[in-house]
Amino acid sequence: MRLISTKPLKSFATSFDWLLLLLVLAIAGIGIFNLASLADILHKPLHNTQLLWLGIGIIFFAIPCATIDYRIYERVANAIFILGNLALILVLIVGDEFNGSKRWINLGVFHMQPSELMKIATVIFVAKFFSQREHSEAYGFLSLVPLLAAIAVPMALIFLEPDLGTAVLIGLIASMMVLFEGVRRKTLIFSVLLFMALAPLAWMGMHDYQKNRVKTFLQLEEDPYGNDWQVKNSVIAVGAGGLTGQGFGQSTQVQKGFVPEPENDFALANWAEEYGFVGVIFLLSLYLILILWAIRIARLARDRFGMHLAVGITAIIFWQVIINTAMVVRWAPVVGITLPMVSYGGSSMLSMMICVGILMNVSIRRHSFK
Amino acid sequence: MKNLLRHKKQKSAKKVAEIRTDPKDYARSFRIVFVFVAIPFIFLSLRFWYLQIWKEEHYKQLAFNNFIKRRVIPAERGVITDIEGRLVAENRPAYNVALTPAFFVQSGESEEEVVERIQRLAKILSLSSEQIEKLTNNVLNVKPENKFSPIPIKQDITRDQVALVETNMLDFYGVEITATSRRYYPFNDLAAHLIGYVNEVNGEELQKLNMYGYRLGDVTGRMGIERAFEPILRGSSGLSAMVVNARGMPQTDPASLGLMRNWKDVAPIAGKTIVLTVDMDLQRILKNALRNFETGAIVAMDPNSGRILGIASTPTFNPNSWSGRLSRDEHLKSDTNPYKPMLDKALLSYFPGSVYKVITAVATLEEGLMQTHDTLNCPGYYEYGKQRRRFHCWKHSGHGAVNIVESLGASCDVYFYKVGEKLGMDTLAEYAYHFGLGRRTGIGINGESPGLVPTRAWHAKHSSEGFQGGFTLSTSIGQGDTRTTPLQMALLYSALANGGTLYYPQIVDRIETAQGEPLFEYPLRVRSKLPYKASTLKAIRDGLDMVMNAEIGTAYAYRLPYLNVAAKTGTAQVTSRRSSNAAVEFKYRDHAWFITFAPIDNAEIVVVVFLEHGGSGSSSAGPVAMEVLDRYFREIKKKTPAVIEQNTGFAAN
């Protein structure tokens, strides 16, 4: 098997996934536009930086990731996974600390967040695990143990940073991939019970501020750290948006600083306040179409690895959109999950461009080797 | 059953036998995933619909409340002046200190350094260790959202402290001094009961008062005029608003100002000026005249209008220490003072003693029981009833044959026992009511006492043995259960002095706006015209004249050399006992009364001196009243003795 297809593709124009590109540009465009309205309050034109990240992401990450035949990923999956875990260990040792959490490695030009890349590494790893096994039955628990044990490693490392949100996110992405492959009903029930049994352990390992976030979300106690104040203001921002919103740069909740991190975790709050219900539904529709399109890419994939890969990437986008949106409307605790391509951030944007590249890769090659 | 199971097993075995190698084998998984991803989007869309469409107005209002900061502009409290326009209650600037944690705590500063700076600030402001601890705790453990709200440290710091804090401002980032206004009483304890004081409303009152616009930190009148005229003095506060950001910083860019939509500031309206009828110079004279007595009151009144010229109660207090936060020491001092400085004695009721005899005298003449020249014999006692129970005259040797004028002048008890017995309890009460006794005068301040006019019915209800005939005798000389206030007495003697007009008391001359424009002038208010014969009033006046000017008069020793004065003394027994005042405990000593008006024919002032447990009406209270009269005419009216002589035709002996 050739690793890199030198055979010209059927036709660039017909095999290229124009809709995928269009959706990604539309969403990223909204994200940049949204950041532009925040330039005043943030005192810096983050939309320009974000645009730069998008450009870098497309040229240096999305295009290469789409060009290299994705079956190479299958071969190097284990290596990527191990490298990713090493990076996570490294970050615990030499990582830069912001807000009491070690998540970043200083690469000189920018701070890299290994946990962002770990999501993709996990997806490739799980896809390879399933595609290489010719399993005749739904998976039982014992046959899944090696996989679960392997995934537990990055989850634990990320949990230690501490970054509860991303750790849970990786668990959710992997679970979705495993369930897609199919497990026995008994195994499913057993896993749920096991999870419930282990939850108190995780609770004990959590930092006080994380516990407080969960507690205040569940409204078990009054908010001592101001998290709830932030989320309540986010809800006010959303509600104040009304049907059509306040317009560009007119969001009082965000522009007057009542909503925290409006460029990052709460970017959607600004969008919702400035463009209202119409704007939110438009953006959520774009995400839903993107996700459904990605599932379609998986369905049309040329092989099982490509399919699992596409399903995993879909899971990344899906869970991030759902968790972030739920967080903004106070349906989920504040766990620091960004809104794909809309929230500001280099690591987040670049990893998302890798995801897009991989999706494109699978999509373009759907017709080859048939 | 067994068959069925096997069949099922075969079927499922068959199903999983297919080995999935192609994405097309995952059709079921794809169907599930399609549905699975769509569901959360539907729920989230409903959530946005709920927040943005259904509850839009609610959240718009919350957002508005977030960025609009309303600020109450306090109204300047109205001032109080005396009749000469001297400020007796005014507002002075005061300085409060507050600290904003976000600006105070420097980045990279250790906790110790912050505490050290707090200690230095506390030293300048001389805070208690309790206050320091509280402040330190507030600064170090501030919630993020409160970081930018100032924490009040101390109110009303001295000018020296202001200067010290300001010169050390570089050390005290985030410490802010704000100028406010504070109530100030320039005359300190002079007329304190009349003027009253203010202090902050407490949490409990706030619940009732916030519907009237009171807020935490607002003051309210607690006594005297400050309390009675609270709604007039208070004014009404204004309201302004500004657009702020989350840090509470005002936003002044045009876009932010546009958010205020049609907001309009409400300007505060200053409280009104209250002009009292009293003269602070006279108040000083009254206070000075009381200097030798522990507890008592003086009321000086214009008998031709019921206007109060001066009203004093002793012991007094300093309203400046009571306004604002009173120290525990000061509270304790007034709480433990047995003479109760916070009570206005001019408006509380006491046994009147002989000053009450004028009621009995008026009743005697009006009922036709006696004529002016009729005499009754006083052997020094009166034997009452079948038991021949002896009621003594204060003069044990007796007054001999006295007519009504002489009996008033010499204050003969026996004469009044005899007429009182004939008049009866309820007739005496009726005349007392004529003079407004037993009811509040309506001065409207300090919870005035109505006093007590006992009747047969009252005794039947309140005395353990029911009504007894002897009570009438006691009542006829102002003993028994009769109680009157010094203010009631001032109005009663005013009526005697002015020829029978009973007035309502008047303490406020007029109300003006803060700018001095007249708003309301209190008119003279007549309570009743007493329907008595001129001869009756003349006889009473002659009796009161005799008190001062006849040798048998009880106050003969205290007459002024240049002024013709009428007076009545009263020594009210507090208990039935037979020993001299000096020998008994203070609270069992007699009340001393001395009531006088002058000049006798054209009275311009009535002075009621009441000394609680002060001893003899003549020897204790007499000199006090005479000092007041003397200084009133010479210092206030600027009349030399010669002028007075000329005007009254009275020649000094």
Side-chain angles (χ1 to χ4, degrees), chain B residues 36-85:
Chain B
F36 179 78
V37 297
I39 289 172
F41 277 91
I42 293 167
F43 278 103
L44 284 170
S45 300
L46 288 174
R47 173 72 168 161
F48 278 100
W49 177 85
Y50 172 76
L51 293 178
Q52 300 192 290
I53 311 291
W54 186 253
K55 300 279 271 184
E56 177 186 359
E57 280 313 310
H58 172 68
Y59 286 111
K60 280 211 161 117
Q61 188 59 46
L62 289 183
F64 186 75
N65 292 345
N66 260 349
F67 66 74
I68 286 283
K69 190 173 171 189
R70 296 170 180 84
R71 200 169 60 86
V72 172
I73 313 166
E76 189 86 341
R77 194 174 173 86
V79 299
I80 305 175
T81 77
D82 78 348
I83 191 70
E84 299 290 334

Short mmCIF file of all heavy atoms in Angstrom, two decimals, chain B residues 36-85:
data_model
loop_
_atom_site.label_atom_id
_atom_site.label_comp_id
_atom_site.label_asym_id
_atom_site.label_seq_id
_atom_site.Cartn_x
_atom_site.Cartn_y
_atom_site.Cartn_z
N PHE B 36 -28.97 11.48 17.69
CA PHE B 36 -28.32 11.86 18.95
C PHE B 36 -27.76 13.28 18.90
O PHE B 36 -27.88 14.05 19.86
CB PHE B 36 -27.21 10.86 19.27
CG PHE B 36 -26.45 11.19 20.53
CD1 PHE B 36 -27.01 10.90 21.77
CD2 PHE B 36 -25.20 11.77 20.47
CE1 PHE B 36 -26.32 11.20 22.93
CE2 PHE B 36 -24.51 12.08 21.63
CZ PHE B 36 -25.07 11.78 22.86
N VAL B 37 -27.12 13.65 17.77
CA VAL B 37 -26.52 14.98 17.72
C VAL B 37 -27.58 16.07 17.57
O VAL B 37 -27.38 17.20 18.00
CB VAL B 37 -25.46 15.13 16.60
CG1 VAL B 37 -24.30 14.19 16.83
CG2 VAL B 37 -26.08 14.94 15.22
N ALA B 38 -28.72 15.70 16.98
CA ALA B 38 -29.72 16.74 16.74
C ALA B 38 -30.45 17.15 18.02
O ALA B 38 -30.80 18.32 18.20
CB ALA B 38 -30.72 16.27 15.69
N ILE B 39 -30.66 16.18 18.91
CA ILE B 39 -31.48 16.45 20.11
C ILE B 39 -30.96 17.62 20.96
O ILE B 39 -31.73 18.54 21.26
CB ILE B 39 -31.65 15.15 20.94
CG1 ILE B 39 -32.59 14.20 20.18
CG2 ILE B 39 -32.22 15.45 22.32
CD1 ILE B 39 -32.68 12.83 20.77
N PRO B 40 -29.67 17.63 21.35
CA PRO B 40 -29.22 18.76 22.17
C PRO B 40 -29.40 20.10 21.48
O PRO B 40 -29.68 21.10 22.15
CB PRO B 40 -27.75 18.47 22.43
CG PRO B 40 -27.43 17.18 21.82
CD PRO B 40 -28.62 16.63 21.13
N PHE B 41 -29.28 20.10 20.15
CA PHE B 41 -29.47 21.38 19.44
C PHE B 41 -30.90 21.87 19.57
O PHE B 41 -31.16 23.06 19.72
CB PHE B 41 -29.10 21.22 17.95
CG PHE B 41 -27.62 21.36 17.71
CD1 PHE B 41 -26.79 20.25 17.73
CD2 PHE B 41 -27.06 22.61 17.50
CE1 PHE B 41 -25.43 20.37 17.53
CE2 PHE B 41 -25.70 22.75 17.29
CZ PHE B 41 -24.87 21.63 17.31
N ILE B 42 -31.84 20.91 19.55
CA ILE B 42 -33.25 21.30 19.71
C ILE B 42 -33.48 21.90 21.09
O ILE B 42 -34.06 22.97 21.25
CB ILE B 42 -34.17 20.08 19.47
CG1 ILE B 42 -34.07 19.67 17.99
CG2 ILE B 42 -35.60 20.41 19.86
CD1 ILE B 42 -34.68 18.31 17.69
N PHE B 43 -32.94 21.21 22.11
CA PHE B 43 -33.14 21.70 23.48
C PHE B 43 -32.47 23.05 23.70
O PHE B 43 -33.04 23.94 24.33
CB PHE B 43 -32.64 20.67 24.50
CG PHE B 43 -33.63 19.58 24.75
CD1 PHE B 43 -33.49 18.32 24.20
CD2 PHE B 43 -34.76 19.83 25.54
CE1 PHE B 43 -34.42 17.33 24.42
CE2 PHE B 43 -35.70 18.84 25.77
CZ PHE B 43 -35.54 17.58 25.20
N LEU B 44 -31.27 23.18 23.17
CA LEU B 44 -30.57 24.46 23.34
C LEU B 44 -31.31 25.59 22.62
O LEU B 44 -31.40 26.70 23.13
CB LEU B 44 -29.13 24.36 22.85
CG LEU B 44 -28.18 23.62 23.80
CD1 LEU B 44 -26.84 23.36 23.14
CD2 LEU B 44 -27.98 24.39 25.10
N SER B 45 -31.88 25.27 21.45
CA SER B 45 -32.64 26.29 20.74
C SER B 45 -33.85 26.73 21.56
O SER B 45 -34.17 27.92 21.63
CB SER B 45 -33.12 25.75 19.39
OG SER B 45 -32.01 25.39 18.61
N LEU B 46 -34.50 25.75 22.19
CA LEU B 46 -35.64 26.09 23.05
C LEU B 46 -35.18 26.97 24.20
O LEU B 46 -35.88 27.90 24.60
CB LEU B 46 -36.30 24.82 23.59
CG LEU B 46 -37.10 24.03 22.56
CD1 LEU B 46 -37.59 22.71 23.16
CD2 LEU B 46 -38.29 24.86 22.06
N ARG B 47 -34.01 26.68 24.75
CA ARG B 47 -33.47 27.48 25.84
C ARG B 47 -33.26 28.93 25.39
O ARG B 47 -33.61 29.87 26.09
CB ARG B 47 -32.16 26.86 26.32
CG ARG B 47 -31.39 27.68 27.36
CD ARG B 47 -32.07 27.67 28.70
NE ARG B 47 -31.20 28.21 29.73
CZ ARG B 47 -31.63 28.66 30.91
NH1 ARG B 47 -32.92 28.61 31.19
NH2 ARG B 47 -30.80 29.11 31.81
N PHE B 48 -32.70 29.08 24.19
CA PHE B 48 -32.48 30.44 23.69
C PHE B 48 -33.81 31.13 23.42
O PHE B 48 -33.96 32.33 23.66
CB PHE B 48 -31.61 30.41 22.42
CG PHE B 48 -30.15 30.31 22.71
CD1 PHE B 48 -29.49 29.09 22.62
CD2 PHE B 48 -29.43 31.42 23.10
CE1 PHE B 48 -28.14 28.99 22.91
CE2 PHE B 48 -28.07 31.34 23.39
CZ PHE B 48 -27.43 30.12 23.30
N TRP B 49 -34.77 30.36 22.94
CA TRP B 49 -36.09 30.95 22.71
C TRP B 49 -36.66 31.45 24.03
O TRP B 49 -37.20 32.55 24.11
CB TRP B 49 -37.02 29.90 22.07
CG TRP B 49 -38.42 30.44 21.87
CD1 TRP B 49 -38.87 31.17 20.83
CD2 TRP B 49 -39.51 30.29 22.77
NE1 TRP B 49 -40.17 31.51 21.01
CE2 TRP B 49 -40.61 30.99 22.19
CE3 TRP B 49 -39.70 29.65 24.00
CZ2 TRP B 49 -41.86 31.05 22.80
CZ3 TRP B 49 -40.93 29.72 24.61
CH2 TRP B 49 -42.00 30.41 24.00
N TYR B 50 -36.52 30.63 25.07
CA TYR B 50 -37.03 31.01 26.40
C TYR B 50 -36.36 32.27 26.90
O TYR B 50 -37.02 33.22 27.33
CB TYR B 50 -36.79 29.86 27.38
CG TYR B 50 -37.10 30.21 28.81
CD1 TYR B 50 -38.41 30.29 29.27
CD2 TYR B 50 -36.07 30.47 29.72
CE1 TYR B 50 -38.70 30.61 30.57
CE2 TYR B 50 -36.35 30.80 31.03
CZ TYR B 50 -37.67 30.88 31.45
OH TYR B 50 -37.94 31.21 32.74
N LEU B 51 -35.02 32.32 26.80
CA LEU B 51 -34.28 33.46 27.35
C LEU B 51 -34.47 34.72 26.51
O LEU B 51 -34.64 35.81 27.04
CB LEU B 51 -32.78 33.15 27.41
CG LEU B 51 -32.33 32.07 28.40
CD1 LEU B 51 -30.82 31.85 28.28
CD2 LEU B 51 -32.67 32.45 29.83
N GLN B 52 -34.46 34.54 25.19
CA GLN B 52 -34.39 35.72 24.33
C GLN B 52 -35.75 36.21 23.85
O GLN B 52 -35.90 37.37 23.54
CB GLN B 52 -33.50 35.43 23.11
CG GLN B 52 -32.09 35.06 23.55
CD GLN B 52 -31.12 35.05 22.40
OE1 GLN B 52 -31.19 34.18 21.54
NE2 GLN B 52 -30.22 36.01 22.38
N ILE B 53 -36.72 35.35 23.80
CA ILE B 53 -38.04 35.76 23.32
C ILE B 53 -39.01 35.84 24.49
O ILE B 53 -39.62 36.87 24.76
CB ILE B 53 -38.59 34.79 22.25
CG1 ILE B 53 -37.55 34.52 21.15
CG2 ILE B 53 -39.90 35.31 21.66
CD1 ILE B 53 -37.23 35.68 20.26
N TRP B 54 -39.12 34.74 25.21
CA TRP B 54 -40.12 34.67 26.28
C TRP B 54 -39.78 35.63 27.42
O TRP B 54 -40.62 36.35 27.92
CB TRP B 54 -40.19 33.23 26.78
CG TRP B 54 -41.27 32.98 27.78
CD1 TRP B 54 -41.13 32.76 29.11
CD2 TRP B 54 -42.67 32.91 27.53
NE1 TRP B 54 -42.33 32.57 29.70
CE2 TRP B 54 -43.31 32.66 28.75
CE3 TRP B 54 -43.45 33.04 26.37
CZ2 TRP B 54 -44.68 32.54 28.87
CZ3 TRP B 54 -44.83 32.92 26.49
CH2 TRP B 54 -45.42 32.68 27.73
N LYS B 55 -38.48 35.63 27.84
CA LYS B 55 -38.08 36.44 29.00
C LYS B 55 -37.29 37.67 28.59
O LYS B 55 -36.56 38.23 29.40
CB LYS B 55 -37.24 35.59 29.96
CG LYS B 55 -37.94 34.37 30.50
CD LYS B 55 -38.85 34.71 31.65
CE LYS B 55 -38.12 34.64 32.97
NZ LYS B 55 -39.01 34.87 34.09
N GLU B 56 -37.44 38.11 27.39
CA GLU B 56 -36.61 39.20 26.88
C GLU B 56 -36.67 40.44 27.76
O GLU B 56 -35.64 40.98 28.17
CB GLU B 56 -37.07 39.57 25.45
CG GLU B 56 -36.30 40.74 24.89
CD GLU B 56 -36.85 41.21 23.54
OE1 GLU B 56 -37.81 40.59 23.06
OE2 GLU B 56 -36.31 42.18 23.00
N GLU B 57 -37.90 40.88 28.10
CA GLU B 57 -38.04 42.12 28.87
C GLU B 57 -37.38 42.00 30.23
O GLU B 57 -36.74 42.92 30.72
CB GLU B 57 -39.52 42.48 29.02
CG GLU B 57 -40.10 43.15 27.79
CD GLU B 57 -39.20 44.27 27.26
OE1 GLU B 57 -38.78 45.14 28.06
OE2 GLU B 57 -38.88 44.26 26.06
N HIS B 58 -37.56 40.84 30.85
CA HIS B 58 -36.97 40.58 32.17
C HIS B 58 -35.45 40.77 32.12
O HIS B 58 -34.88 41.50 32.93
CB HIS B 58 -37.33 39.15 32.58
CG HIS B 58 -36.63 38.68 33.82
ND1 HIS B 58 -36.88 39.22 35.06
CD2 HIS B 58 -35.68 37.74 33.99
CE1 HIS B 58 -36.12 38.62 35.96
NE2 HIS B 58 -35.38 37.72 35.35
N TYR B 59 -34.83 40.14 31.13
CA TYR B 59 -33.37 40.23 31.07
C TYR B 59 -32.90 41.59 30.59
O TYR B 59 -31.84 42.05 30.99
CB TYR B 59 -32.80 39.09 30.21
CG TYR B 59 -32.87 37.77 30.93
CD1 TYR B 59 -33.73 36.76 30.53
CD2 TYR B 59 -32.09 37.55 32.06
CE1 TYR B 59 -33.81 35.57 31.21
CE2 TYR B 59 -32.16 36.36 32.75
CZ TYR B 59 -33.02 35.37 32.33
OH TYR B 59 -33.09 34.21 33.03
N LYS B 60 -33.69 42.25 29.76
CA LYS B 60 -33.32 43.61 29.35
C LYS B 60 -33.29 44.51 30.57
O LYS B 60 -32.41 45.35 30.73
CB LYS B 60 -34.32 44.13 28.32
CG LYS B 60 -34.03 43.59 26.93
CD LYS B 60 -34.43 44.57 25.85
CE LYS B 60 -33.72 44.24 24.55
NZ LYS B 60 -34.59 43.88 23.46
N GLN B 61 -34.29 44.32 31.46
CA GLN B 61 -34.35 45.13 32.68
C GLN B 61 -33.14 44.83 33.57
O GLN B 61 -32.52 45.73 34.12
CB GLN B 61 -35.66 44.85 33.42
CG GLN B 61 -35.91 45.78 34.60
CD GLN B 61 -35.95 47.25 34.18
OE1 GLN B 61 -36.59 47.61 33.20
NE2 GLN B 61 -35.23 48.10 34.90
N LEU B 62 -32.81 43.55 33.69
CA LEU B 62 -31.64 43.17 34.51
C LEU B 62 -30.37 43.80 33.94
O LEU B 62 -29.53 44.29 34.68
CB LEU B 62 -31.49 41.66 34.58
CG LEU B 62 -32.53 40.90 35.40
CD1 LEU B 62 -32.21 39.42 35.42
CD2 LEU B 62 -32.59 41.44 36.82
N ALA B 63 -30.25 43.77 32.63
CA ALA B 63 -29.07 44.36 32.00
C ALA B 63 -29.04 45.86 32.25
O ALA B 63 -28.00 46.43 32.57
CB ALA B 63 -29.08 44.07 30.49
N PHE B 64 -30.22 46.50 32.16
CA PHE B 64 -30.32 47.94 32.42
C PHE B 64 -29.88 48.25 33.85
O PHE B 64 -29.09 49.14 34.11
CB PHE B 64 -31.75 48.39 32.17
CG PHE B 64 -31.96 49.87 32.27
CD1 PHE B 64 -31.54 50.72 31.26
CD2 PHE B 64 -32.58 50.43 33.39
CE1 PHE B 64 -31.73 52.09 31.35
CE2 PHE B 64 -32.78 51.81 33.48
CZ PHE B 64 -32.35 52.63 32.46
N ASN B 65 -30.40 47.46 34.80
CA ASN B 65 -30.02 47.66 36.20
C ASN B 65 -28.54 47.46 36.42
O ASN B 65 -27.96 48.04 37.33
CB ASN B 65 -30.79 46.69 37.10
CG ASN B 65 -32.26 47.02 37.14
OD1 ASN B 65 -32.66 48.10 36.73
ND2 ASN B 65 -33.05 46.08 37.61
N ASN B 66 -27.93 46.64 35.59
CA ASN B 66 -26.50 46.40 35.72
C ASN B 66 -25.68 47.63 35.38
O ASN B 66 -24.78 48.00 36.10
CB ASN B 66 -26.08 45.26 34.79
CG ASN B 66 -25.93 43.94 35.52
OD1 ASN B 66 -25.95 43.92 36.74
ND2 ASN B 66 -25.80 42.86 34.79
N PHE B 67 -26.02 48.25 34.26
CA PHE B 67 -25.14 49.33 33.82
C PHE B 67 -25.62 50.71 34.27
O PHE B 67 -24.89 51.68 34.12
CB PHE B 67 -24.89 49.29 32.30
CG PHE B 67 -26.09 49.55 31.43
CD1 PHE B 67 -26.60 50.83 31.31
CD2 PHE B 67 -26.68 48.52 30.72
CE1 PHE B 67 -27.69 51.08 30.50
CE2 PHE B 67 -27.78 48.76 29.91
CZ PHE B 67 -28.28 50.05 29.80
N ILE B 68 -26.82 50.79 34.81
CA ILE B 68 -27.27 52.07 35.35
C ILE B 68 -27.03 52.05 36.85
O ILE B 68 -27.48 51.14 37.54
CB ILE B 68 -28.76 52.30 35.07
CG1 ILE B 68 -28.99 52.64 33.59
CG2 ILE B 68 -29.31 53.40 35.95
CD1 ILE B 68 -28.63 54.05 33.22
N LYS B 69 -26.29 53.02 37.31
CA LYS B 69 -26.09 53.11 38.76
C LYS B 69 -26.85 54.33 39.23
O LYS B 69 -26.54 55.46 38.85
CB LYS B 69 -24.60 53.23 39.05
CG LYS B 69 -24.28 53.08 40.52
CD LYS B 69 -22.78 53.05 40.68
CE LYS B 69 -22.38 53.13 42.12
NZ LYS B 69 -20.93 53.31 42.23
N ARG B 70 -27.86 54.09 40.04
CA ARG B 70 -28.63 55.22 40.55
C ARG B 70 -27.98 55.72 41.84
O ARG B 70 -27.51 54.92 42.65
CB ARG B 70 -30.06 54.78 40.84
CG ARG B 70 -30.81 54.35 39.61
CD ARG B 70 -32.12 53.70 40.00
NE ARG B 70 -32.86 53.27 38.83
CZ ARG B 70 -32.65 52.12 38.21
NH1 ARG B 70 -31.71 51.31 38.64
NH2 ARG B 70 -33.37 51.78 37.16
N ARG B 71 -27.95 57.00 41.99
CA ARG B 71 -27.34 57.56 43.17
C ARG B 71 -28.33 58.53 43.79
O ARG B 71 -28.89 59.39 43.12
CB ARG B 71 -26.06 58.30 42.80
CG ARG B 71 -25.10 58.50 43.94
CD ARG B 71 -23.77 59.01 43.41
NE ARG B 71 -23.94 60.28 42.72
CZ ARG B 71 -23.92 61.46 43.33
NH1 ARG B 71 -23.75 61.52 44.63
NH2 ARG B 71 -24.09 62.57 42.65
N VAL B 72 -28.55 58.36 45.07
CA VAL B 72 -29.47 59.25 45.76
C VAL B 72 -28.70 60.51 46.13
O VAL B 72 -27.61 60.45 46.68
CB VAL B 72 -30.01 58.56 47.03
CG1 VAL B 72 -30.80 59.54 47.86
CG2 VAL B 72 -30.85 57.36 46.67
N ILE B 73 -29.25 61.66 45.78
CA ILE B 73 -28.64 62.92 46.20
C ILE B 73 -29.35 63.35 47.47
O ILE B 73 -30.54 63.67 47.43
CB ILE B 73 -28.80 64.02 45.13
CG1 ILE B 73 -28.44 63.46 43.76
CG2 ILE B 73 -27.98 65.23 45.47
CD1 ILE B 73 -28.88 64.36 42.62
N PRO B 74 -28.67 63.32 48.59
CA PRO B 74 -29.37 63.64 49.84
C PRO B 74 -29.80 65.10 49.88
O PRO B 74 -29.11 65.98 49.36
CB PRO B 74 -28.33 63.33 50.92
CG PRO B 74 -27.03 63.35 50.22
CD PRO B 74 -27.25 63.03 48.78
N ALA B 75 -30.95 65.34 50.49
CA ALA B 75 -31.42 66.71 50.64
C ALA B 75 -30.81 67.29 51.91
O ALA B 75 -30.63 66.58 52.90
CB ALA B 75 -32.94 66.71 50.74
N GLU B 76 -30.47 68.54 51.85
CA GLU B 76 -29.95 69.22 53.03
C GLU B 76 -31.08 69.35 54.05
O GLU B 76 -32.17 69.81 53.72
CB GLU B 76 -29.42 70.60 52.61
CG GLU B 76 -28.66 71.32 53.67
CD GLU B 76 -27.19 70.92 53.71
OE1 GLU B 76 -26.80 69.86 53.18
OE2 GLU B 76 -26.41 71.70 54.26
N ARG B 77 -30.81 68.93 55.28
CA ARG B 77 -31.85 69.01 56.29
C ARG B 77 -32.11 70.47 56.65
O ARG B 77 -31.18 71.28 56.68
CB ARG B 77 -31.39 68.24 57.54
CG ARG B 77 -32.49 67.97 58.54
CD ARG B 77 -31.99 67.09 59.68
NE ARG B 77 -33.00 66.95 60.72
CZ ARG B 77 -33.96 66.04 60.72
NH1 ARG B 77 -34.02 65.18 59.74
NH2 ARG B 77 -34.84 65.98 61.70
N GLY B 78 -33.38 70.79 56.89
CA GLY B 78 -33.72 72.16 57.23
C GLY B 78 -33.08 72.59 58.53
O GLY B 78 -32.84 71.76 59.42
N VAL B 79 -32.78 73.87 58.65
CA VAL B 79 -32.18 74.35 59.89
C VAL B 79 -33.27 74.80 60.85
O VAL B 79 -34.43 74.98 60.47
CB VAL B 79 -31.19 75.50 59.63
CG1 VAL B 79 -30.05 75.03 58.73
CG2 VAL B 79 -31.91 76.70 59.03
N ILE B 80 -32.91 74.96 62.11
CA ILE B 80 -33.83 75.46 63.13
C ILE B 80 -33.20 76.73 63.70
O ILE B 80 -32.00 76.75 64.00
CB ILE B 80 -34.04 74.41 64.25
CG1 ILE B 80 -34.50 73.08 63.63
CG2 ILE B 80 -35.04 74.91 65.27
CD1 ILE B 80 -34.62 71.95 64.65
N THR B 81 -33.99 77.79 63.79
CA THR B 81 -33.45 79.02 64.37
C THR B 81 -34.33 79.47 65.54
O THR B 81 -35.47 79.02 65.67
CB THR B 81 -33.40 80.18 63.36
OG1 THR B 81 -34.73 80.70 63.22
CG2 THR B 81 -32.90 79.73 62.00
N ASP B 82 -33.77 80.32 66.37
CA ASP B 82 -34.61 80.90 67.41
C ASP B 82 -35.31 82.13 66.83
O ASP B 82 -35.16 82.44 65.64
CB ASP B 82 -33.81 81.20 68.68
CG ASP B 82 -32.97 82.46 68.57
OD1 ASP B 82 -32.83 82.98 67.43
OD2 ASP B 82 -32.46 82.92 69.60
N ILE B 83 -36.07 82.83 67.66
CA ILE B 83 -36.89 83.93 67.13
C ILE B 83 -36.02 85.07 66.59
O ILE B 83 -36.43 85.81 65.71
CB ILE B 83 -37.87 84.44 68.23
CG1 ILE B 83 -38.91 85.39 67.66
CG2 ILE B 83 -37.12 85.11 69.38
CD1 ILE B 83 -39.92 84.71 66.76
N GLU B 84 -34.79 85.15 67.08
CA GLU B 84 -33.88 86.19 66.62
C GLU B 84 -33.12 85.75 65.36
O GLU B 84 -32.23 86.46 64.90
CB GLU B 84 -32.86 86.53 67.73
CG GLU B 84 -33.48 87.05 69.01
CD GLU B 84 -34.07 88.45 68.85
OE1 GLU B 84 -33.59 89.18 67.96
OE2 GLU B 84 -35.03 88.77 69.57
N GLY B 85 -33.39 84.56 64.88
CA GLY B 85 -32.72 84.09 63.66
C GLY B 85 -31.40 83.41 63.91
O GLY B 85 -30.66 83.11 62.97
#
